[in-house]
Amino acid sequence: MKTCQVNWLRTLCLMLVFISVSGVAALAAADEHIYDSANLLSESEIADLEAVAAKYSQEQDVDFLFLTTADENMPLITDYMGDFFDEWSIENNQKNVVLLTMNIATRDVYLAGFGKAETTLDNKRVDMVLDRIVPEMQNGDYADAFRETVTTSSRYMEYRPGVNPENILLKSWFQLLVALLLGAGVVGFMLYNSGGRVTTTASTYFDGDHTRVTGTRDQFRNKTVSRRKVPKNDGGSGGGFGGGGTTGGGTSFSGGGRKF
Amino acid sequence: MVIQYKCPNCGSDMSFDSESGHLSCPNCGRQDEIETFPETNIIRKFDPDEAKEYHCENCGAVILTEAQTTATHCSFCGAPVLLADRLTGDLAPAKVIPFTISKDEAVAAFRKWTNNGRLTPRGFTSGDRIKKMTGMYVPFWLYDIEGKADVEALATRVHSYTSGDTIYTETNFYDVRREIDLSYLKVPADASEKMDDELMDKLEPYNYGELKDFKMPYLAGYLAEKYDYGDEELFSRIETKIVPYIDSYIGSTISGYSTLSYTNKQIQTNKKNVYYTLFPVWMVYYDFDNKEHTFAMNGQTGKVVGKPPISAFKVAAWFTGIAASVFAVMKVVAFAVGGVLW
């Protein structure tokens, strides 16, 4: 019994090690990630965020960029963002980009994924990231909002495209909880039944020949009707817009934007 | 009065053989039908001071009995004896299910059962510490139950549909009533004070196909007891036993509703017939860790009940094993679906 369990554990450990080794790859990334034209960040914040962005950019092989502007007359933030990307992409020879753009004058924020990130950070995941960062933006916490964008996006991008990364079934704590409950349930059942089980049922002593229904009534009494509106299924809240598009230079992207 | 069955061939004391269902002589192997056993070979010995003690016909020794004992062995010469005055009149059983599992089969069945104990300590599972096995006829009352149920309930049927941009949920209310004639046959309750009720309930069910009219020779060679509780006293136990059965039957007659709440439920049960019956039970006394554990085995079906010792290590091992494998499986599935392990 004991040796059998030890062997089993060893196999499990080997399997875990094998699986975790296979996802680490590092590639060079751009030098500059923060383009703070609106001067919303302090020097130290920029230095800090550059470090974070560089670290994650290398890990993911996707550059995380933060672009701020303060242009009251900008009609569409996506155009501004697209132009920036086209230029940046040629300069740095890098197509895989996650770009967080904000216009402090119009209070627009737009998060986009280019190249590889277009699939790994699709519109749904962009929306989920926005859900997390918009409150911080509303508080004026732009540095934290970008940091959150970088960490959360890279976490989401680990997951296979199309999968909801916040699905409870993928959470370790939930899996552990299910495993423990199931273990306790099964062992509890075994313990409960160790002294022998009751195997008589309602039909054991039932006399079908003399049991019968002698009177039935199923009388309609009244009815109630309740109405409610069909819930709108657009999911957008707080003035959402976008959902991807194409830049002037012809690169398609995933994305989503909000007012904050 | 003491009864012993003497072999027509050799005069030895015969006992009931569970394999053939006959009276069998341990000495010469002669087998006799219970129905046709010659009267002349039934030794009936009447003691004048029988209220106090019984004497063995063979050796004259005093037969040691408890007040409930109806069949036993002479503690001196081992001859199977029946105490007939405790089996006649009001105390005469109406029915009996004879043993179909012999002592050897019972030992084998018990060993097999201990072997299957997934949570019992290793030393216990070998099943070789049986201290004593006693074949015993336990007194039961079997009740034929007749009853009436009259229930009223408020039921709803819910369905919803969409029209335009509105969802309508329509709830229809119904008055439901059922009147039912109920009948349950031969519901058993053990009438022995000594026997644990829960244990005896778990021994059920017995196969009533082998229910026989009572004849004394079935008891020869086994222990038997008379009832401690009368059928009136035990009827409340029968009622609590069959009420869940009745409830589930009532539920099965009402179908097609989304919700159901009973507003009135009247159930009456009466006993139609009562049979004083003896059921075969092997009592197994098992020594483990300097403690005696008692188990009971259905002498007809071989089902074993009783609390075995539990190994904390095995409980922990099963728990960790199951939890770890479930966790691993979930992780593998999560990895296959999501592409991320942690």
Side-chain angles (χ1 to χ4, degrees), chain B residues 53-289:
Chain B
E53 54 185 33
Y54 299 88
H55 292 274
C56 174
E57 159 68 13
N58 288 10
C59 61
V62 172
I63 297 165
L64 302 169
T65 70
E66 290 175 49
Q68 297 86 7
T69 308
T70 58
T72 186
H73 295 94
C74 168
S75 49
F76 192 72
C77 68
V81 294
L82 272 58
L83 310 180
D85 54 315
R86 294 180 182 177
L87 285 165
T88 47
D90 280 352
L91 297 173
K95 304 271 179 191
V96 62
I97 293 179
F99 274 91
T100 47
I101 291 181
S102 68
K103 189 165 190 169
D104 290 343
E105 287 167 336
V107 169
F110 182 74
R111 286 209 175 152
K112 198 173 154 212
W113 180 76
T114 57
N115 247 323
N116 288 340
R118 295 191 186 85
L119 296 178
T120 47
R122 191 193 301 244
F124 181 81
T125 55
S126 60
D128 55 1
R129 295 252 186 80
I130 297 171
K131 194 166 92 181
K132 203 170 86 183
M133 298 220 31
T134 313
M136 187 171 181
Y137 281 101
V138 179
F140 276 76
W141 289 105
L142 303 190
Y143 297 79
D144 285 349
I145 305 288
E146 224 179 27
K148 279 195 186 300
D150 188 349
V151 294
E152 286 171 303
L154 183 63
T156 67
R157 236 172 244 168
V158 181
H159 74 113
S160 45
Y161 52 92
T162 310
S163 166
D165 61 348
T166 309
I167 299 172
Y168 295 88
T169 307
E170 194 179 298
T171 309
N172 292 296
F173 291 85
Y174 293 84
D175 281 327
V176 175
R177 184 172 182 193
R178 294 287 183 274
E179 288 163 279
I180 300 167
D181 282 349
L182 297 161
S183 174
Y184 289 88
L185 296 179
K186 300 197 175 64
V187 188
D190 90 271
S192 166
E193 192 181 355
K194 227 186 262 186
M195 294 294 169
D196 183 52
D197 290 348
E198 203 191 329
L199 212 61
M200 290 298 120
D201 283 352
K202 282 182 179 170
L203 278 180
E204 295 171 35
Y206 291 84
N207 174 12
Y208 288 158
E210 290 172 46
L211 198 63
K212 301 265 200 315
D213 286 335
F214 178 74
K215 291 265 188 305
M216 286 199 203
Y218 287 119
L219 308 191
Y222 295 94
L223 290 183
E225 302 218 324
K226 70 179 181 63
Y227 62 83
D228 296 309
Y229 300 111
D231 61 323
E232 292 291 343
E233 287 171 274
L234 290 182
F235 190 63
S236 63
R237 253 192 75 206
I238 289 293
E239 279 183 309
T240 56
K241 203 165 163 176
I242 61 168
V243 160
Y245 300 164
I246 294 173
D247 278 340
S248 84
Y249 179 72
I250 292 172
S252 75
T253 65
I254 309 174
S255 57
Y257 294 104
S258 319
T259 66
L260 186 71
S261 65
Y262 292 101
T263 50
N264 184 21
K265 197 179 220 175
Q266 286 180 351
I267 299 171
Q268 286 180 344
T269 50
N270 305 302
K271 56 181 198 293
K272 197 168 96 187
N273 295 310
V274 187
Y275 312 92
Y276 176 28
T277 307
L278 300 178
F279 280 173
V281 176
W282 281 105
M283 299 302 294
V284 184
Y285 302 94
Y286 192 85
D287 264 347
F288 182 76
D289 256 4

